[in-house]
Amino acid sequence: MYHVVTPDPRDSAPDTASELPDADERPSGSELKKKERVLHTRVPAVLERELKRFAENLRVPVSNLVRTILEDAVTAADHATETVEQRLRRAAGTLEQERERLKKKIVTDRLAGVFAFQSVTLAKPQTCAKCECDLPIGERAHFGLTDAPQAERVFVCDDCLPKPA
Ligand SMILES: [Zn+2]
C-alpha cells in the first residue's frame, strides 16, 4: 500500500481515473469552497479491475466511484480504523450489495452542484444522469448548469426534471 497526496492538480492522474474529466481533480482557486487534493493510490490489480468494472457498470469515472466510497467511509464510524486500501477492498467485496446505495449517492453527487436546468436540443447522444435512459441526437434534454468551470456535463430527461411540489 502506497499513496501520495499532492496539491498539484496538473500532476498526471492514474490511468484508472483518466477516462473522463473529473471536476474535483481540477481545483480552480477561489471558485472552490474548500481546497481539494488529488490522492494517488496504488491498489492491487484485482481490486482495480473490480472498481473499473463497477464504475463502467454505473457509467461513472473510476475516480468518482473511489471518491464516493471513501467519503462514505469517513461517515461510517464503525469502520473508522480502516485504511484506504482496506476500505476499498471491503467495498469491492460487497459491491453488488452496495451497488444501489452507491449509485444513488453518485447520482446525488453529480447533480449536487447544479443550480438550474436549461432546455437544450442534443447534438450528441447523452445519458440521463438520474435514470440513465439514452438521450439520442435531436432529443430535447435538460442541461445542468453549475458554477464550477470544469464540472462534468450532466443532462437529465424530461421525467427526471425537478417538478414544482
Ligand atoms: Zn431520466
Side-chain angles (χ1 to χ4, degrees):
M1 176 65 195
Y2 165 78
H3 64 89
V4 177
V5 176
T6 166
D8 187 356
R10 290 161 304 183
D11 215 32
S12 61
D15 287 346
T16 52
S18 62
E19 288 142 19
L20 287 169
D22 186 334
D24 290 345
E25 287 179 3
R26 298 179 188 181
S28 58
S30 59
E31 293 285 332
L32 287 181
K33 280 178 242 145
K34 58 179 182 191
K35 218 168 208 169
E36 293 188 317
R37 294 185 173 219
V38 179
L39 173 70
H40 296 269
T41 304
R42 295 205 179 156
V43 296
V46 177
L47 177 57
E48 186 195 333
R49 275 200 300 276
E50 273 300 296
L51 289 170
K52 264 189 168 169
R53 195 179 61 82
F54 190 47
E56 273 165 25
N57 213 254
L58 294 177
R59 300 195 219 184
V60 298
V62 174
S63 55
N64 279 24
L65 174 63
V66 170
R67 192 175 60 231
T68 301
I69 290 172
L70 293 178
E71 281 175 359
D72 208 52
V74 173
T75 58
D78 52 336
H79 298 291
T81 58
E82 279 181 322
T83 66
V84 170
E85 186 183 357
Q86 283 170 337
R87 174 57 190 161
L88 288 173
R89 275 181 182 281
R90 196 166 67 81
T94 54
L95 283 182
E96 287 313 309
Q97 302 156 33
E98 297 204 10
R99 187 182 187 281
E100 285 309 310
R101 197 176 59 82
L102 284 173
K103 185 175 155 188
K104 216 174 157 189
K105 191 170 186 306
I106 286 169
V107 167
T108 308
D109 287 350
R110 287 179 79 192
L111 295 172
V114 174
F115 60 82
F117 287 101
Q118 185 169 46
S119 292
V120 294
T121 302
L122 293 176
K124 287 184 176 177
Q126 301 291 345
T127 303
C128 174
K130 220 164 175 181
C131 73
E132 294 187 347
C133 70
D134 289 330
L135 299 168
I137 293 172
E139 182 85 303
R140 296 278 288 168
H142 309 279
F143 177 48
L145 301 172
T146 76
D147 284 323
Q150 299 283 350
E152 179 193 13
R153 285 183 197 147
V154 289
F155 297 87
V156 297
C157 70
D158 279 335
D159 290 344
C160 292
L161 202 60
K163 309 267 190 311

